[in-house]
Amino acid sequence: MSSLLATAVAHPNIAFIKYWGNRSEDLRLPVNGSISMNMDGLITRTTVHFDAGYEKDRLAINEIQVDGKGLDRVVKILEIVRAAAGISLKASVSSTNNFPTGAGIASSAAAFAALAQASVTALGLDWSEAKVSRLARLGSGSASRSVPGGFVEWYLGDSDEACYAETIAPKEHWSLVDCVAIVSSSHKKTGSTEGHLLASTSPLQIARAVDTPRRISLCRQAIFEKDMSKLASILQLDSDMMHSVMMTSTPALFYWQPETMAVMKKVQQWRDEGLQAGYTIDAGPNVHVICEAKKADEVAKLLKKIPGVQKILVSPVGDGVRIEG
Ligand code: PMV
């Protein structure tokens, strides 16, 4: 066959227990396990087209051609599926996002989940969800968590095969919402790929990693019991711990803006006053405020009033990656 094509859609995810640092850079095997929810409404749509007419692999993101490191990461995935299918056709990859790229909303997670699934399907490979999750992981660790739907755990695993993500509760289990307070939509200076390399330079990273099974277990419990107060405590602690590692690495990574802090302090104040919501922040300045859907309007209204908050994205729990058409 000389032309093979598939389109997949995927959502980014927000981690409740964060992934920060790899024990193997090449295989993107993480230092610790993590838990997340997929973010409905925010969509990456990726079409992969293998065709005998292409002389080299190419990549367009939001209709702009990408070369260099961005393209290299995509080619790494394409090489794996080509080898598995026993073909050598080059591909054109075209990806569009309906949300800002590079600003603390994990665009790479949705991008590599969609790329992995579209590539596997285009070449007619009959791969399990776990195997697609592992493939997505090689592009961006957190992408492994955008492959399954709902609430997802990415297992630390003791090997490449055991290091994949799966659903621990379907999206219907608990109507949670992520209200993302956007304080900046500019592209971050240090992306997470470089950030992971610095994690081990922080003296706090070992303590964070050693304590992760405890936090994972508390987070799982909070999800299973639908206990918002417990979830808010553990997700704030986990985010603060990851940012402590970032701030104490060499060179130090500091992703917060003054507005980031302002939102964090407000959320804590609301919790003290009885409104159950918790903040968590990725490698960027925007603040993800997690709450139950019934509180989302109230939380979004309060967030809008904070000076410096430019807009709010409201995202319920989303599905996993899927093929379109
Ligand atoms: O998957 P990466 O390499 O983009 O790393 C994601 C890192 C964080 O977003 C900060 C945490 C996480 O677990 O999503």
Side-chain angles (χ1 to χ4, degrees):
M1 234 176 284
S2 59
S3 183
L4 301 153
L5 177 135
T7 298
V9 291
H11 304 295
N13 65 76
I14 178 66
F16 297 165
I17 302 297
K18 309 286 192 192
Y19 146 57
W20 196 245
N22 291 316
R23 59 186 203 277
S24 158
E25 293 300 336
D26 196 36
L27 288 174
R28 288 185 198 261
L29 298 176
V31 160
N32 61 278
S34 52
I35 293 183
S36 59
M37 71 170 234
N38 285 346
M39 297 172 68
D40 201 11
L42 309 185
I43 293 169
T44 294
R45 177 172 282 102
T46 300
T47 299
V48 179
H49 184 200
F50 293 92
D51 192 278
Y54 298 133
E55 278 173 13
K56 56 186 184 77
D57 294 319
R58 37 180 133 140
L59 167 67
I61 300 178
N62 292 332
E63 292 175 4
I64 296 168
Q65 287 297 318
V66 177
D67 292 306
K69 281 187 187 160
L71 176 63
D72 293 347
R73 279 170 82 180
V74 166
V75 171
K76 183 175 171 180
I77 304 294
L78 297 173
E79 294 290 11
I80 293 169
V81 287
R82 274 194 286 253
I87 62 139
S88 56
L89 297 178
K90 300 292 181 195
S92 162
V93 176
S94 140
S95 192
T96 52
N97 294 323
N98 72 346
F99 56 95
T101 320
I105 298 168
S107 55
S108 63
F112 281 101
L115 172 69
Q117 187 64 70
S119 310
V120 163
T121 304
L123 295 188
L125 298 166
D126 184 20
W127 284 17
S128 66
E129 180 188 89
K131 201 163 175 185
V132 176
S133 168
R134 282 171 48 211
L135 176 64
R137 189 196 80 216
L138 297 173
S140 163
S142 58
S144 64
R145 297 191 311 244
S146 279
V147 173
F151 298 91
V152 172
E153 180 168 348
W154 173 16
Y155 303 115
L156 181 58
D158 56 7
S159 62
D160 175 20
E161 287 73 26
C163 191
Y164 61 92
E166 73 180 2
T167 301
I168 55 168
K171 66 174 189 177
E172 298 76 21
H173 168 71
W174 195 11
S175 297
L176 284 192
V177 167
D178 180 1
C179 300
V180 195
I182 305 284
V183 299
S184 160
S185 33
S186 59
H187 215 282
K188 59 198 174 198
K189 273 200 224 79
T190 310
S192 37
T193 298
E194 300 89 77
H196 291 297
L197 292 169
L198 301 178
S200 64
T201 66
S202 165
L204 305 183
Q205 171 72 340
I206 289 178
R208 191 190 75 89
V210 167
D211 182 62
T212 308
R214 184 187 70 89
R215 297 193 311 285
I216 292 247
S217 155
L218 285 172
C219 183
R220 258 196 233 124
Q221 248 174 47
I223 292 171
F224 294 156
E225 292 164 9
K226 299 189 234 179
D227 185 332
M228 191 56 228
S229 164
K230 206 184 246 178
L231 182 67
S233 302
I234 197 64
L235 65 86
Q236 290 193 181
L237 172 68
D238 189 84
S239 173
D240 291 347
M241 285 175 79
M242 181 184 72
H243 284 272
S244 305
V245 167
M246 291 165 161
M247 290 172 198
T248 52
S249 63
T250 308
L253 291 175
F254 201 104
Y255 287 107
W256 300 351
Q257 300 288 337
E259 296 80 10
T260 311
M261 266 306 272
V263 176
M264 292 164 74
K265 294 192 86 166
K266 276 289 180 197
V267 172
Q268 184 55 51
Q269 183 194 321
W270 304 335
R271 281 183 66 200
D272 295 343
E273 291 164 3
L275 173 61
Q276 286 311 329
Y279 65 73
T280 182
I281 302 150
D282 279 346
N286 300 324
V287 187
H288 297 249
V289 182
I290 311 295
C291 64
E292 293 187 295
K294 60 188 177 204
K295 298 285 176 197
D297 284 350
E298 189 180 350
V299 167
K301 250 185 228 146
L302 287 167
L303 285 171
K304 260 183 215 149
K305 285 191 199 152
I306 302 174
V309 172
Q310 296 167 5
K311 66 172 175 180
I312 319 287
L313 301 175
V314 178
S315 176
V317 188
D319 289 314
V321 70
R322 57 218 177 261
I323 291 294
E324 241 186 18

